[in-house]
């Protein structure tokens, strides 16, 4: 086991302290389950430092450098032999069959959304024996059966041509993005947009008139509506007007820890009423409490108690980050110092409640510890059936409902 | 055999009048060859007339209607059971293993290029047992071996963000489009653009300074440069500055028939010097002479004589059009009369030389008659080895050169 993975595993075990029986049973159950990380990143690579340095020396703009870094992080785990080996170890340790993966930057601009999707698609095309695009829900169990993994593409924004000619014209890129593979998209991300209001804003009047049209179009096309980063009222309105199952793919229970990225009981119930899922994320400061794997399990249990076993899933929001080779690390930062940069548009992150994480909390929530979520649920006495739903069954059911109900 | 396919087959046979021996031998050889249509459309479906009528009644813009028509033509052959059956018959009759398919509208605008690619990708995702995206060259023979077909995605334009900040910034979407699957793109289409001049223009000073940067970027990324619709000097300049094999994917020999869509001997030689291909297209008025399958073969022979067997391919530029069901045809045009429309930007088509097509000329050039190209080459005494190169081997070699030489 790679030292990074091993270190995280020890932190997770220290947090849970499972009995030998629960550990063995949980790990075996995890291998049997169809495991879907309902929002995440999988293994992420590292850009070639020499390439970044050469770009900077040639006067590359901040945008070019950001592009090169992101391209490296999203493709080099597949194109570079050493990184691929570590990525394969991470996937093996995580025991995840499919990640509903971030494949579209926080934006409504079509060109922006398109780049990340290209990078994810290309990585799959480079390693078809290891991982493939999941174009339809049936591809997910088929990948597991074939000993492969797969990625379901998702976007952090809805594509809008921004011609502002007619509502229908603004909706006209949702289907092409779906056709290119994107099966789920955020309505809003932290800030407000013409669709609704973000969870980082000081107020939230709810879904706009246009937002209702977006939800209807996504329902029709077959793209899952995701309110993970939407404001509370916007989330509630979206759930009430969606006629297909929808999700908060990576969130926490606001009733347990009042973080603005969480969803309150009313929103969670409304999402469950659509037939959808509340996905619990593995970000310590959103979880609160011990901010570790135990806190994650507390949120799973809270959600199960509130909305029942058919409406809770996981969406880790966490990547396994492949470290650059020691030689690159020794060479220091690949880029020369640059003047300070403005915060990115997406960075509207009010301070959340103060937290006091337990020692090793972040490490315990590493992506490669996903099997310990199953172990933790075993420890808490949840049935195999409930665990299988949380670990993937519920996401698969939602995906099937959207796929089967899509327009021709 | 579907009546449409049968009618075309009879027209093709009437044009060629092969001996029983040549016909049998040629058809068997065709089945053995790896057949790549180096630029084409495959089978195209028909939009649902009821959907078009409903859109028009709701006040849909011309753009929405054009989108719906195109979406129908590019996806309904896969999503509609009856259309799929006819499409499968057409592919079977054509005996084509891979089409390098038009999957990007004539434009440099990213959103525009993106839509058609979505439609083509989706059609493959709907029928994975029948047809798949060819992400890398090896996927093409693998598809034939598995009894499937495949599509290599191509675009009729290079994506440009059109921010005009720096040359490098304008080049920054070539790689994402490649990563999404596009393996070949037109530098220009009929009209001139910042890259070079179109074959429809009254003058052609050649490739621009920026155009040289585009060719270099495509070489680096691994996307095949296509000058099918470029002006003569622009084509020549591109060939001289490309350090990878490049193509005129669907053209004719200007030396045989002086149509402006053809390439003269100097351009053909320059393309061959890159290690690339001249693809002969199946459009009667570009071919001249009898404007039928015999004229097509005359161009193949002219090209073989000029540049040798390693640099000639086929790029039919022809679709098999699935007819709407009789009930839809009986109902008349699906759309109410609208005021006359401006010609589209792409429509810069000067009049070509006058032609006098032989009877049945167009029918003889139907896409489903691709096997008769092989038969015709047998009749003309070409060796099996040369025929295999023209029918697919040369395209595959070019694809491999670009794929193997691409940046990481």
């Amino acid at each position: 086991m790679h030292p990074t993975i091993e270190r995280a595993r020890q932190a997770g075990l220290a947090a849970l302290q499972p009995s030998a029986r629960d550990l063995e049973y949980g790990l075996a159950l995890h291998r049997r389950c169809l495991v879907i990380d309902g929002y995440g990143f999988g293994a992420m690579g590292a850009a070639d430092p020499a390439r970044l340095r050469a770009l900077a020396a040639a006067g590359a703009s901040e945008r070019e450098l950001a592009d090169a870094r992101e391209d490296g992080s999203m493709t080099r785990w597949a194109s570079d032999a050493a990184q691929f080996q570590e990525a394969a170890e991470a996937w093996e340790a995580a025991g995840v069959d499919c990640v509903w993966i971030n494949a579209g930057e926080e934006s409504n601009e079509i060109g922006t959304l398109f780049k990340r999707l290209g990078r994810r698609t290309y990585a799959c095309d480079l390693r078809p024996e290891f991982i493939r695009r999941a174009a339809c829900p049936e591809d997910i169990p088929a990948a597991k059966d074939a000993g492969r993994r797969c990625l379901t593409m998702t976007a952090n924004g809805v594509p809008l041509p921004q011609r502002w000619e007619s509502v229908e014209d603004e909706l006209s890129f949702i289907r092409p993005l779906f056709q290119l593979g994107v099966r789920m998209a955020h309505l809003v991300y932290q800030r407000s947009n013409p669709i609704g209001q973000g969870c980082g804003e000081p107020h939230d009047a709810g879904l706009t008139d246009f937002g209702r049209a977006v939800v209807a179009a996504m329902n029709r096309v077959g793209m899952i509506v995701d309110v993970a980063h939407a404001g509370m009222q916007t989330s509630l309105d979206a759930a009430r007007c969606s006629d297909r199952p929808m999700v908060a793919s990576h969130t926490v229970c606001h009733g347990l820890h009042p973080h603005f990225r969480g969803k309150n009981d009313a929103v969670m119930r409304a999402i469950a009423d659509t037939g959808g899922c509340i996905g619990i994320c593995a970000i310590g400061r959103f979880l609160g409490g011990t901010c570790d794997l135990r806190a994650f399990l507390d949120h799973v249990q809270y959600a199960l108690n509130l909305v029942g076993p058919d409406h809770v899933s996981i969406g880790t929001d966490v990547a396994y980050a492949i470290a650059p080779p020691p030689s690159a690390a020794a060479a220091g930062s690949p880029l020369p110092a640059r003047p300070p940069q403005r915060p990115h548009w997406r960075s509207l992150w009010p301070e959340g409640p103060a937290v006091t994480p337990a020692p090793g909390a972040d490490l315990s929530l590493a992506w490669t510890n996903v099997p310990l979520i199953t172990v933790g649920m075993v420890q808490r006495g949840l049935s195999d059936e409930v665990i299988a739903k949380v670990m993937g069954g519920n996401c698969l059911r939602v995906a099937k409902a959207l796929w089967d109900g899509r327009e021709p």
Side-chain angles (χ1 to χ4, degrees), chain A residues 21-22 25-26 29 373-382 387:
Chain A
R21 183 260 163 209
D22 285 349
Y25 187 86
L29 175 60
I373 298 173
T374 303
V375 171
M377 287 195 282
V378 168
Q379 288 179 277
R380 292 179 184 216
L382 296 172
I387 292 172

Side-chain angles (χ1 to χ4, degrees), chain A residues 8 10 13 18 20-21 34 49 57 66 103 116 118 180 188 213 233 246 264 279 284 290 321 331 354 378-379 397:
Chain A
Q10 291 311 320
L13 290 170
R21 183 260 163 209
L34 182 78
R116 199 171 278 182
L180 268 176
V188 298
Q233 187 64 41
M246 56 156 274
N264 65 26
T290 49
V378 168
Q379 288 179 277
R397 186 197 69 238

Side-chain angles (χ1 to χ4, degrees), chain A residues 128 170 350 362 367 371:
Chain A
E170 283 303 311
D362 273 357
W367 186 61

Side-chain angles (χ1 to χ4, degrees), chain A residues 1-7 42-46 76-95 127 130 149 319-326 367-368:
Chain A
M1 200 179 262
H2 191 280
T4 305
I5 300 171
E6 177 64 28
R7 233 177 356 256
M44 297 282 276
R76 288 190 85 234
W77 68 266
S79 64
D80 179 90
Q83 292 195 26
F84 176 66
Q85 193 187 329
E86 189 174 339
E89 284 182 59
W91 276 89
E92 175 65 23
R127 296 285 181 182
F130 182 76
R149 289 128 294 270
Y320 176 83
I322 296 168
W367 186 61
T368 49

Side-chain angles (χ1 to χ4, degrees), chain A residues 20-361:
Chain A
R21 183 260 163 209
D22 285 349
L23 179 61
E24 187 185 348
Y25 187 86
L27 294 178
L29 175 60
H30 189 78
R31 280 190 292 275
R32 286 201 307 278
C33 285
L34 182 78
V35 178
I36 298 176
D37 182 354
Y39 184 89
F41 297 84
M44 297 282 276
D48 177 7
R51 173 157 167 69
L52 293 181
R53 267 189 291 269
L55 279 172
S61 67
E62 289 302 321
R63 179 154 43 201
E64 279 178 84
L65 291 172
D67 260 3
R69 262 192 298 257
E70 185 177 286
D71 190 306
S73 74
M74 293 190 180
T75 67
R76 288 190 85 234
W77 68 266
S79 64
D80 179 90
Q83 292 195 26
F84 176 66
Q85 193 187 329
E86 189 174 339
E89 284 182 59
W91 276 89
E92 175 65 23
V96 169
D97 298 305
C98 180
V99 177
W100 291 11
I101 203 153
N102 176 319
E105 197 173 326
E106 301 77 5
S107 176
N108 301 108
E109 202 269 316
I110 291 162
T112 304
L113 284 168
F114 166 106
K115 288 190 290 185
R116 199 171 278 182
L117 182 60
R119 291 164 187 149
R120 298 297 195 187
T121 302
Y122 185 57
C124 291
D125 286 340
L126 288 178
R127 296 285 181 182
E129 296 320 311
F130 182 76
I131 196 163
R132 297 192 189 177
R133 301 159 62 241
C136 66
E138 288 69 27
D139 288 344
I140 305 175
K144 185 178 178 66
D145 290 347
R148 289 191 306 261
R149 289 128 294 270
C150 57
L151 299 181
T152 295
M153 305 298 174
T154 82
N156 280 9
V158 171
L160 303 178
Q162 301 178 57
R163 294 185 283 245
W164 316 120
E165 284 178 4
S166 70
V167 166
E168 290 71 17
D169 188 59
E170 283 303 311
L171 301 173
S172 67
F173 278 84
I174 295 175
R175 182 166 160 92
L177 193 70
F178 172 81
Q179 291 177 319
L180 268 176
V182 170
R183 299 288 175 258
M184 178 170 87
H186 289 26
L187 292 183
V188 298
Y189 187 93
Q190 301 298 102
R191 291 185 184 278
S192 294
N193 67 18
I195 296 169
Q197 285 160 326
C199 65
E201 294 280 4
H203 53 71
D204 176 20
L207 198 68
T208 64
D209 177 72
F210 175 61
R212 288 170 193 275
V214 169
V215 169
M218 291 175 75
N219 283 173
R220 190 172 66 237
V221 163
M223 192 182 283
I224 302 169
V225 170
D226 188 356
V227 293
H229 287 259
M232 212 68 89
Q233 187 64 41
T234 296
S235 301
L236 194 62
D237 290 350
R240 285 181 178 158
C241 80
S242 178
D243 63 11
R244 293 280 190 287
M246 56 156 274
V247 302
S249 66
H250 54 300
T251 187
V252 293
C253 305
H254 196 270
L256 196 55
H257 180 67
H259 193 278
F260 64 90
R261 275 279 283 100
K263 301 301 170 196
N264 65 26
D265 293 1
V267 170
M268 289 171 64
R269 284 204 191 92
I271 290 173
D273 285 347
T274 69
C277 291
I278 293 93
I280 304 300
C281 76
I283 309 287
R285 69 184 192 282
F286 302 174
L287 295 165
T290 49
C291 299
D292 63 1
L293 208 41
R294 288 169 295 176
F296 183 97
L297 291 160
D298 291 342
H299 282 263
V300 169
Q301 281 204 305
Y302 182 100
L304 286 171
N305 291 338
L306 188 77
V307 296
D310 290 325
H311 305 292
V312 183
S313 53
I314 67 167
T316 65
D317 202 14
V318 163
Y320 176 83
I322 296 168
S327 59
S333 165
L335 297 179
R338 292 211 163 194
Q341 303 290 314
R342 294 282 194 203
H344 196 281
W345 170 265
R346 74 173 75 93
S347 307
L348 183 66
W349 283 89
E351 219 171 324
V355 290
T356 49

